[in-house]
Amino acid sequence: IIIACESPKQKLPFLGNPEKVVGTDTIYPSIPNFSFLNQEGKTIQGADVKGEVYVAEFFFTSCPSICPKMLKQMKRVSEKFGDREDFRILSFSIDPVRDSVATLAEYGKRAKIDPKHWWMLTGNEDSIYQLGENHFMSHMVADDNEPGGYVHSGFFILVDRQGHKRGAYDGTDPKDVDRLMKELPLLLEEQ
């Protein structure tokens, strides 16, 4: 008798403290609904990415420090997964006063960002900061002593189809982005 055993598939952990436990189910926090404008002037809401896997980052177009490195690494992610219908990249601007829809459109054009799957988002500054700090675990603060006027984390946050955070990766480190690109398919396979 031959018995075939299938090894269990690797699962990514959930990030964040559980909100509650119901019976044997643990409920993890999810990204709340949001509403911002993308580089094409379209309103993008959290509901637009429900059922999709996405990577989120916080940046600003005039950033002279870590953002160019992050852009280079996110382009690698885009090149590998951008043709999938169930995958997106969300880049939230932490400088929405300067990063208007027109500014994001020009930046995206120069960087050859495909707006079909990579949305650069702008809108109310307080809403962006609250979303970043409270839900994506991303630090950001205006600081006149810093190049570009802001300090912010360079993490890429991997989010599953139900809006749960499942991974955090240093967007300036090619090796950590390699890890993201190895782990992202695990979420694309999850239902």
Side-chain angles (χ1 to χ4, degrees), residues 103-182:
T103 301
L104 292 178
E106 182 56 36
Y107 179 86
K109 190 175 182 183
R110 280 195 322 269
K112 297 183 176 142
I113 290 172
D114 183 353
K116 288 182 203 147
H117 75 272
W118 187 339
W119 293 332
M120 293 180 294
L121 303 169
T122 190
N124 177 275
E125 183 176 85
D126 289 340
S127 297
I128 291 169
Y129 279 55
Q130 182 181 22
L131 186 68
E133 295 272 350
N134 297 337
H135 301 286
F136 281 105
M137 305 177 306
S138 289
H139 175 71
M140 59 203 77
V141 65
D143 185 340
D144 292 336
N145 296 319
E146 288 296 317
Y150 293 91
V151 175
H152 67 102
S153 62
F155 279 88
F156 294 167
I157 307 299
L158 180 58
V159 181
D160 69 16
R161 296 178 193 281
Q162 290 75 40
H164 300 114
K165 298 177 297 292
R166 301 292 292 276
Y169 311 85
D170 182 345
T172 67
D173 180 354
K175 288 182 181 175
D176 214 22
V177 175
D178 287 344
R179 183 171 64 90
L180 162 64
M181 292 194 294
K182 285 179 186 165

Side-chain angles (χ1 to χ4, degrees), residues 19-110:
E19 292 178 337
K20 59 184 170 182
V21 177
V22 179
T24 58
D25 292 334
T26 303
I27 309 299
Y28 288 93
S30 58
I31 304 300
N33 195 32
F34 54 82
S35 182
F36 300 107
L37 295 175
N38 75 358
Q39 68 266 40
E40 296 181 310
K42 295 178 183 171
T43 299
I44 302 298
Q45 298 182 342
D48 294 319
V49 289
K50 189 161 178 73
E52 297 179 351
V53 173
Y54 66 93
V55 177
E57 68 168 341
F58 290 81
F59 85 115
F60 61 108
T61 62
S62 59
C63 173
S65 56
I66 64 172
C67 295
K69 293 175 189 174
M70 292 167 61
L71 175 63
K72 182 177 180 181
Q73 295 306 314
M74 193 65 88
K75 286 187 80 164
R76 291 178 55 216
V77 176
S78 175
E79 287 166 9
K80 185 163 184 173
F81 299 100
D83 61 345
R84 291 194 59 119
E85 293 290 324
D86 57 350
F87 173 72
R88 300 244 182 241
I89 296 171
L90 304 182
S91 297
F92 297 88
S93 173
I94 64 168
D95 186 9
V97 171
R98 287 187 277 190
D99 285 345
S100 64
V101 169
T103 301
L104 292 178
E106 182 56 36
Y107 179 86
K109 190 175 182 183
R110 280 195 322 269

